[in-house]
Amino acid sequence: VSTQSTGAADCVNPSTNIGSCVQGGGECGAYQEQCLCGVNEDGCIIDKPAPTNTACNCVYYSFPYYSCTGYITSCGVYHSESCLQPDTSVDSCLQGGGNCAGYKKHVDIF
């Protein structure tokens, strides 16, 4: 099985954790770990970060729902602090490659 990045920690030392599953490109929905994304007037923000060595991809749903959902995914930059120790910051959100527009007022990234 090829992995998404040969330098990622869970690729170098694979295990049965969600990080290895994500790196292997498998169907990882049975894992209990999750990330949660919330919504504000501009878009999504991370409410609960992804597990170590993974990222949270926030997906925005507009009218009539106006909500965000988080999905655990692989990191954009594997050796960055926001991948090694994900949190609720805009940097961690950007790692997941999803909607991070909710951070617009906090950081001028858009």
Side-chain angles (χ1 to χ4, degrees):
V1 173
S2 66
T3 62
Q4 294 183 19
S5 173
T6 56
D10 287 313
C11 184
V12 173
N13 296 308
S15 68
T16 58
N17 69 20
I18 191 167
S20 290
C21 182
V22 168
Q23 284 304 310
E27 171 52 55
C28 307
Y31 284 87
Q32 295 294 319
E33 294 95 337
Q34 60 178 329
C35 64
L36 299 174
C37 295
V39 65
N40 64 24
E41 64 272 6
D42 296 315
C44 299
I45 57 171
I46 296 176
D47 286 336
K48 178 184 175 192
T52 302
N53 297 320
T54 63
C56 189
N57 179 287
C58 296
V59 177
Y60 178 74
Y61 298 99
S62 60
F63 183 81
Y65 305 107
Y66 300 109
S67 65
C68 292
T69 300
Y71 300 96
I72 295 176
T73 189
S74 57
C75 294
V77 180
Y78 293 98
H79 299 291
S80 73
E81 186 64 29
S82 56
C83 178
L84 299 173
Q85 294 296 320
D87 56 20
T88 59
S89 69
V90 66
D91 291 332
S92 287
C93 188
L94 293 171
Q95 282 284 347
N99 180 296
C100 301
Y103 293 94
K104 191 164 135 178
K105 291 182 179 176
H106 304 290
V107 179
D108 188 19
I109 58 171
F110 298 98

